[in-house]
Amino acid sequence: MRAPFDLRILSACALIVGLSMSAPIGAAAQETPAPAQEAPSGTTVIATVNGADVTEAELQMALNDLGEQFAQLPAEQKRAAALSAVIEIRLLAQQAADAGLGDSEGFKQRMEFLRERALHSAFVEQKVAAEVTDETIRARYDQEVAATPPSNEIRARHILVKTKEEAEEIIKQLEAGGDFEAIAKEKSTDGAAPQGGDLGYFGPGQMVPAFEKAAFALEVGEYSKEPVETDFGFHVIKVEDKRTQQPPAFEQVRDQIRSLLFREKYFEMVKASREAAEIDVKDPALKEAVGKIDATE
């Protein structure tokens, strides 16, 4: 029997994990549950901690940054867990400040790094992600489809055996009127044997060269009159159908195209920024390593 959620323990664990990962702004998906009343504005005060206000905007930031840690909670409990985390942050942060932990050089350097990281994330959201719209995704899809020359694909079956002699014997059975599917189910050693050797539709480049060459040379309804040897063994191939290969549906590749456009736009901006900047890596080995990474982007 599963134990009930303990919001205090969960919020504390989420806080520790979230801070250790230092997720950038916008890294986690927004998880804003629908309130019973009208949604409060960002400046609405929802709690006070030692007299200091906690606003709705701060709660939303906690939900965004720690959203993955709250994923198992019902929507109505996420706000409570996030507020508990914010309260803990306030209380321990004040104790840290009172102890002078914020005055160390190391802390100041980390704060500057986190500030720059947050600015980087905000810039990416507003200048990169915002430009990858449904319109640009659709346009790229249409462009790729138009630029891809039509190619044929075939549907084939095969019977795979270990020796040439076995394959030749199967060909003799087919010539005598044997049923290809039945023989495949009985004698083929391939995983498609239960389906009568059916490999479905495939296009150029999807099979090993020897198999592909033999299969595409056959007409619909024909089977290979000689065994086809590959690294897997000896094949007897039958072509069931030929058709023009169809491009993937837009909905199937929308997310991949979105990621591609985002990556292209991001590295385009990074490249322009690097070229306009003066960057001097002092350590020769590190400079070379960084250069190799940059060359792959």
Side-chain angles (χ1 to χ4, degrees):
M1 181 175 180
R2 182 177 299 176
F5 286 114
D6 187 322
L7 290 185
R8 288 179 53 79
I9 295 175
L10 181 62
S11 62
C13 291
L15 177 60
I16 293 169
V17 173
L19 292 179
S20 66
M21 294 179 65
S22 297
I25 292 176
Q30 291 192 2
E31 299 260 4
T32 307
Q37 304 296 325
E38 183 178 349
S41 69
T43 58
T44 300
V45 176
I46 57 175
T48 60
V49 178
N50 290 333
D53 294 340
V54 177
T55 66
E56 179 66 26
E58 290 172 293
L59 180 63
Q60 291 304 315
M61 283 190 284
L63 283 167
N64 293 343
D65 288 349
L66 304 175
E68 291 185 6
Q69 282 70 53
F70 298 147
Q72 298 182 49
L73 282 175
E76 65 273 12
Q77 292 184 10
K78 290 180 181 179
R79 283 174 60 83
L83 179 57
S84 180
V86 171
I87 292 171
E88 290 165 17
I89 289 173
R90 285 283 185 88
L91 292 174
L92 298 186
Q94 186 58 58
Q95 291 184 50
D98 294 342
L101 299 184
D103 299 329
S104 69
E105 188 61 30
F107 180 83
K108 292 177 181 178
Q109 290 176 352
R110 177 162 180 77
M111 286 299 297
E112 179 59 22
F113 174 77
L114 293 176
R115 186 186 75 86
E116 291 180 346
R117 189 175 179 184
L119 285 171
H120 167 274
S121 296
F123 184 87
V124 169
E125 288 179 359
Q126 295 183 26
K127 301 297 184 179
V128 180
E131 294 190 16
V132 182
T133 63
D134 288 341
E135 290 74 18
T136 61
I137 296 171
R138 183 72 202 204
R140 182 60 172 268
Y141 172 81
D142 292 340
Q143 175 187 332
E144 294 294 338
V145 169
T148 303
S151 62
N152 291 326
E153 61 181 3
I154 63 175
R155 180 185 176 189
R157 298 178 185 273
H158 79 140
I159 302 170
L160 176 65
V161 291
K162 293 182 179 180
T163 68
K164 182 178 181 181
E165 290 72 23
E166 289 178 282
E168 289 174 337
E169 181 60 32
I170 288 170
I171 292 172
K172 289 180 182 179
Q173 292 181 39
L174 292 172
E175 290 175 345
D179 182 83
F180 196 99
E181 292 184 47
I183 297 174
K185 290 179 180 179
E186 178 186 355
K187 298 186 175 181
S188 181
T189 61
D190 180 69
Q195 292 77 46
D198 190 0
L199 297 171
Y201 285 94
F202 57 88
Q206 293 181 259
M207 298 293 179
V208 294
F211 187 99
E212 178 183 305
K213 181 179 179 181
F216 275 88
L218 296 170
E219 296 298 328
V220 174
E222 285 187 337
Y223 58 85
S224 53
K225 300 302 190 290
E226 297 290 337
V228 178
E229 183 179 6
T230 71
D231 291 339
F232 300 99
F234 291 85
H235 309 257
V236 180
I237 306 169
K238 181 183 179 182
V239 171
E240 296 284 3
D241 189 26
K242 291 188 176 183
R243 69 183 185 185
T244 301
Q245 193 173 42
Q246 300 298 310
F250 175 67
E251 294 302 327
Q252 288 182 294
V253 295
R254 180 203 297 266
D255 290 341
Q256 293 95 310
I257 297 175
R258 184 189 304 276
S259 297
L260 174 65
L261 290 175
F262 180 91
R263 178 181 173 83
E264 288 179 348
K265 182 66 176 176
Y266 176 81
F267 284 114
E268 175 188 321
M269 300 188 76
V270 168
K271 181 180 179 181
S273 297
R274 284 178 177 269
E275 290 175 349
E278 294 183 6
I279 301 172
D280 182 20
V281 180
K282 305 298 185 182
D283 182 273
L286 183 57
K287 182 175 183 179
E288 181 181 359
V290 170
K292 290 179 180 179
I293 293 175
D294 294 344
T296 63
E297 297 178 348

